[in-house]
């Protein structure tokens, strides 16, 4: 199974400048996907999950356009060809 991960520029820098990554999840869930990302891009992992492995509060993850916080979170099931967007929240004023 392969999943496409889409990153904004600020996170792409932590993935070798790539904004779109083709990833084979360690398990067919968001958590499995993040585990696979962590193995290849540890700096990216630290921006997405905290030391306990939990999604950071100000990072939004969408699977095929649906926010995982409103489904099963990191246990959200992925399918082959899913598109996962990782977006840090932006604040300012």
């Amino acid at each position: 199974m392969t999943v496409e991960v889409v990153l904004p520029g600020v996170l792409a820098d932590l993935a070798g400048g790539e904004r779109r990554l083709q990833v084979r999840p360690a398990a067919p869930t968001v958590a499995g996907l993040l585990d696979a990302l962590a193995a290849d891009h540890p700096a990216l992992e630290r921006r997405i999950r905290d030391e306990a492995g939990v999604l950071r509060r100000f990072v939004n993850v969408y699977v095929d356009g649906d926010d995982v916080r409103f489904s099963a979170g990191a246990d959200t099931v992925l399918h082959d060809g899913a598109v996962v967007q990782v977006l840090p929240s932006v604040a300012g004023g």
Side-chain angles (χ1 to χ4, degrees), residues 26-85:
T29 62
V30 169
L33 172 67
L34 296 177
D35 290 343
L37 275 177
D40 293 335
H41 307 287
L44 178 61
E45 157 74 0
R46 289 188 294 274
R47 291 287 301 271
I48 297 172
R49 294 194 287 191
D50 64 17
E51 297 77 23
V54 177
L55 282 174
R56 291 192 181 275
R57 183 173 167 198
F58 298 108
V59 173
N60 301 307
V61 177
Y62 299 88
V63 175
D64 294 329
D66 294 324
D67 190 336
V68 300
R69 292 187 197 278
F70 299 109
S71 58
D75 294 327
T76 299
V77 176
L78 301 174
H79 61 85
D80 188 37
V83 177
V84 177
Q85 290 181 290

Side-chain angles (χ1 to χ4, degrees), residues 4-7 12 17-23 83 85:
E4 181 178 29
V5 178
V6 180
L7 302 170
E18 296 294 324
R19 295 192 67 170
R20 293 182 176 272
L21 303 169
Q22 297 298 316
V23 180
V83 177
Q85 290 181 290

